[in-house]
Amino acid sequence: MKTKTILMAAGLVLASSAAYAASWTGGDDLPTNPLACDGTAGEVAAKPYDGGVPTNAPDRNGKKITVVDVPKLIGVGYFSATTKGQAEAAKELGNVDVKTDGPTKANIDEQITFIDNYVTSGVDGILFAANDPVAIAPVLKKALAAGINVVGYDANSTPDARQWFVNQAEFNGVAKSLVDNLAKEIGEDSAFAIVTSTFTTPNQARWIAEMAAYAAKCHPKLEFLETVEAQEDNVLSFNQATTLINKHGDKLKGIVGMTSVATPAAAEAVTQSGLCGKVAVVGLATPNAMKPYVEKDCVKSVVLWNPVDLGYAAMYVLRAAADGTLKPGDTSVKAGKLGDLKVVNGSEILLGAPFVFDKSNIGQFDF
């Protein structure tokens, strides 16, 4: 019932171009903070540390540690890239053994079981990307209570369930990039829909909330049609995008993919429907998955960050937390080749601004 209620709320708030006066928070209760329309950088207010603390953690400073990474799911290009970054960081550090393990579908219950098993078997550190910020919290708190260092990346938990969260980009920055590129491609008076994974997936829910707030402020004539769930499943994402195309017909001018699975699947749906150039696809995806669509001009822009760097940064943050060199109140952390990364929002480490891949640059990247 919760997801149905959220979807109804989204429809009531965003169903017409005039409906942006209120904002949909995408299933969480956090306030939105839309960036300036002219690109002026936003201010990040200082906040006290709000993360958790491992109980009676042993002295791990400089010692070999064993780390497990449990992402939302394994077997997709995005998390294969974060795994690659973690392995690169572990090799550089020289005192970390890290492996990735997790469900083959974005299922929170299975993810919890994987983490619980590793808490029981015993590891020094856990990296995670949450399928649900609230549901995952108890097992992460269990890990903290066992003295395990816990760091999130990509998709957060409630802050007190982990020590630090490596945020790939500020939520409002991702939202601005997506909406600005969408408006540029479809025009200010056009309608669009969104394909996400689930309404409870924390990063996607936050991006959508910030998109609504930014669109209301800077692109108020954009018309939102609906958001559909696709569970980070390629076939379901393709089917959902195809359903949107058939349901809304000529009214639909753009589809925004909120996941690295949904965006290429939406591009394929547009391609197979013969609508390249008529229905724009903008979204978050890895460049390798999008190259075929960008190269044939079916997709003009892809928004992301480097997921290899995200995994790399997460590993350095966990090592620093284990060593005690990253402490509550610190304003930055050293992350190898990435240099010093800023601490924001109390217990988040910011990787950087989102990047837009297009026909002029996408061939330079391989992940």
Side-chain angles (χ1 to χ4, degrees), residues 240-256:
Q240 289 284 53
T242 301
T243 298
L244 289 171
I245 291 168
N246 293 334
K247 177 180 179 180
H248 297 289
D250 292 342
K251 187 177 182 66
L252 179 71
K253 299 301 182 184
I255 298 175
V256 180

Side-chain angles (χ1 to χ4, degrees), residues 76 194-198 204 228-242 244 255-270 281-286 289-290 293 299:
V76 296
I194 294 173
V195 181
T196 191
S197 58
T198 72
Q204 292 151 35
V228 295
E229 295 178 298
Q231 306 292 330
E232 301 219 29
D233 180 275
N234 183 62
V235 174
L236 182 56
S237 295
F238 173 85
N239 289 341
Q240 289 284 53
T242 301
L244 289 171
I255 298 175
V256 180
M258 304 308 298
T259 80
S260 62
V261 177
T263 306
E268 183 62 23
V270 168
V281 176
V282 174
L284 303 160
T286 56
M290 298 306 295
Y293 307 105
V299 173

Side-chain angles (χ1 to χ4, degrees), residues 10-11 14-17 20 24 191-194 222-227:
L14 301 175
S16 72
S17 57
Y20 277 117
W24 171 46
F192 72 98
I194 294 173
L222 281 178
E223 182 179 350
F224 175 88
L225 296 173
E226 62 177 305
T227 294

Side-chain angles (χ1 to χ4, degrees), residues 2 106 114 138 161 169 188 191 196 242 251 272 310 314 354 357:
K2 180 179 178 182
F114 272 95
E188 296 289 346
T196 191
T242 301
K251 187 177 182 66
Q272 291 193 24
L310 180 61
F357 301 94

Side-chain angles (χ1 to χ4, degrees), residues 33-58:
N33 182 30
L35 293 177
C37 303
D38 62 3
T40 304
E43 294 294 325
V44 180
K47 286 176 57 179
Y49 179 76
D50 58 356
V53 179
T55 302
N56 298 322

Side-chain angles (χ1 to χ4, degrees), residues 343-363:
V343 176
V344 298
N345 299 326
S347 59
E348 296 182 13
I349 313 296
L350 183 60
L351 182 64
F355 185 83
V356 179
F357 301 94
D358 57 27
K359 198 170 185 178
S360 71
N361 61 32
I362 198 167

Side-chain angles (χ1 to χ4, degrees), residues 95-336:
N95 55 5
V96 179
D97 286 330
V98 61
K99 72 172 183 178
T100 296
D101 198 9
T104 55
K105 292 188 176 182
N107 182 291
I108 183 59
D109 294 327
E110 290 183 24
Q111 186 179 31
I112 289 169
T113 298
F114 272 95
I115 294 172
D116 195 33
N117 288 341
Y118 281 105
V119 172
T120 301
S121 63
V123 291
D124 298 298
I126 292 174
L127 293 167
F128 72 91
N131 278 303
D132 185 302
V134 176
I136 202 171
V139 74
L140 296 180
K141 289 179 180 179
K142 181 178 178 180
L144 289 174
I148 297 171
N149 294 109
V150 180
V151 170
Y153 68 95
D154 183 73
N156 204 359
S157 66
T158 55
D160 61 344
R162 48 66 178 163
Q163 292 170 273
W164 303 94
F165 172 66
V166 183
N167 199 342
Q168 53 269 41
E170 290 274 51
F171 296 114
N172 53 8
V174 172
K176 174 179 170 58
S177 185
L178 288 170
V179 174
D180 282 347
N181 280 284
L182 177 70
K184 180 180 178 180
E185 293 187 32
I186 70 174
E188 296 289 346
D189 298 316
S190 297
F192 72 98
I194 294 173
V195 181
T196 191
S197 58
T198 72
F199 294 121
T200 58
T201 303
N203 51 341
Q204 292 151 35
R206 199 88 284 276
W207 290 327
I208 293 170
E210 291 289 356
M211 284 172 64
Y214 180 75
K217 178 179 178 180
C218 302
H219 302 280
K221 293 184 179 180
L222 281 178
E223 182 179 350
F224 175 88
L225 296 173
E226 62 177 305
T227 294
V228 295
E229 295 178 298
Q231 306 292 330
E232 301 219 29
D233 180 275
N234 183 62
V235 174
L236 182 56
S237 295
F238 173 85
N239 289 341
Q240 289 284 53
T242 301
T243 298
L244 289 171
I245 291 168
N246 293 334
K247 177 180 179 180
H248 297 289
D250 292 342
K251 187 177 182 66
L252 179 71
K253 299 301 182 184
I255 298 175
V256 180
M258 304 308 298
T259 80
S260 62
V261 177
T263 306
E268 183 62 23
V270 168
T271 299
Q272 291 193 24
S273 298
L275 293 173
C276 290
K278 295 182 179 179
V279 176
V281 176
V282 174
L284 303 160
T286 56
N288 284 353
M290 298 306 295
K291 282 177 184 176
Y293 307 105
V294 172
E295 288 170 355
K296 63 186 178 185
D297 293 321
C298 198
V299 173
K300 296 188 182 301
S301 57
V302 183
V303 179
L304 200 65
W305 43 90
N306 189 330
V308 178
D309 286 349
L310 180 61
Y312 179 96
M315 187 69 261
Y316 265 91
V317 169
L318 192 142
R319 179 74 257 189
D323 287 342
T325 56
L326 175 59
K327 304 178 295 298
D330 286 349
T331 57
S332 66
V333 60
K334 293 187 180 300

